[in-house]
Amino acid sequence: MATRQSQDLRIMLLGEEHDRGGFTCGVEDLDRYLKTQAGQDVRRKANAVFVLSEVSEPTHVLGYYTLCAMAISQGDVPEAARKHVPRYPLVSGTRIGRLAVAKERQGQRLGAVLLADALQRAFDSAGTVGASMVVADALDETAAGFYAAHGFVRLPDSLRLVLPMRMASGSAER
């Protein structure tokens, strides 16, 4: 399961002070989003963008993720997750649209740190806004495997995975 952030790392909302231009994770779409679109999305409230940095270098972005509200059809919820969500035609969720770690820091479990923070924020906000699940849109099979290893259930024939909010609360605490 995902791990909590350490005392030498911090995760906060993207701000003007963050060096977005120096970030590269090796996936062009994720790099371009942070460099060119993320600031605008934050200003327009289209996505919340959270960045990971070291306390000693707060402007250097080590990774990021995005969160936004969404809904999916009840029929799209995998059977394994269906017992944990209400029986409405549309099921509310919190979407992790993007999650990326800087190339020079990959393999150091920072993705798990980012995911733990995303799950905790999703769980905390669900009490105010209402969301029955966390939805992750994986970019590829490797990313889908990452989410699956953290308890997400994959939608058939898709790179979309879901985690019932009840399970997100347990994941966020580990």
Side-chain angles (χ1 to χ4, degrees), residues 118-162:
L119 292 175
Q120 187 64 56
R121 288 181 198 270
F123 182 76
D124 291 347
S125 70
T128 303
V129 176
S132 299
M133 67 181 69
V134 179
V135 179
D137 286 324
L139 192 62
D140 55 27
E141 290 295 334
T142 301
F146 168 79
Y147 289 113
H150 290 281
F152 283 74
V153 178
R154 192 167 177 167
L155 275 64
D157 303 319
S158 172
L159 288 174
R160 177 168 278 178
L161 299 93
V162 300

Side-chain angles (χ1 to χ4, degrees), residues 18-142:
H18 294 110
D19 176 19
R20 296 177 293 158
F23 181 82
T24 181
C25 69
V27 178
E28 186 179 338
D29 288 344
L30 294 173
D31 293 344
R32 185 178 12 182
Y33 174 79
L34 184 64
K35 293 173 184 177
T36 65
Q37 186 67 38
Q40 184 176 6
D41 279 0
V42 169
R43 285 189 300 280
R44 292 182 174 175
K45 307 282 188 223
N47 279 304
V49 180
F50 295 92
V51 295
L52 172 69
S53 63
E54 291 180 314
V55 172
S56 61
E57 290 186 74
T59 62
H60 181 71
V61 177
L62 301 177
Y64 77 94
Y65 68 86
T66 64
L67 291 179
C68 69
M70 70 168 303
I72 66 172
S73 169
Q74 177 69 237
D76 289 340
V77 178
E79 194 64 43
R82 210 171 279 166
K83 64 184 174 189
H84 299 286
V85 299
R87 301 275 185 234
Y88 298 130
L90 291 176
V91 180
S92 62
T94 301
R95 178 178 178 238
I96 302 172
R98 295 172 180 85
L99 189 150
V101 174
K103 207 169 195 175
E104 74 270 10
R105 297 296 295 268
Q106 291 175 4
Q108 298 177 16
R109 300 200 40 81
L110 295 184
V113 170
L114 287 164
L115 181 59
D117 191 76
L119 292 175
Q120 187 64 56
R121 288 181 198 270
F123 182 76
D124 291 347
S125 70
T128 303
V129 176
S132 299
M133 67 181 69
V134 179
V135 179
D137 286 324
L139 192 62
D140 55 27
E141 290 295 334
T142 301

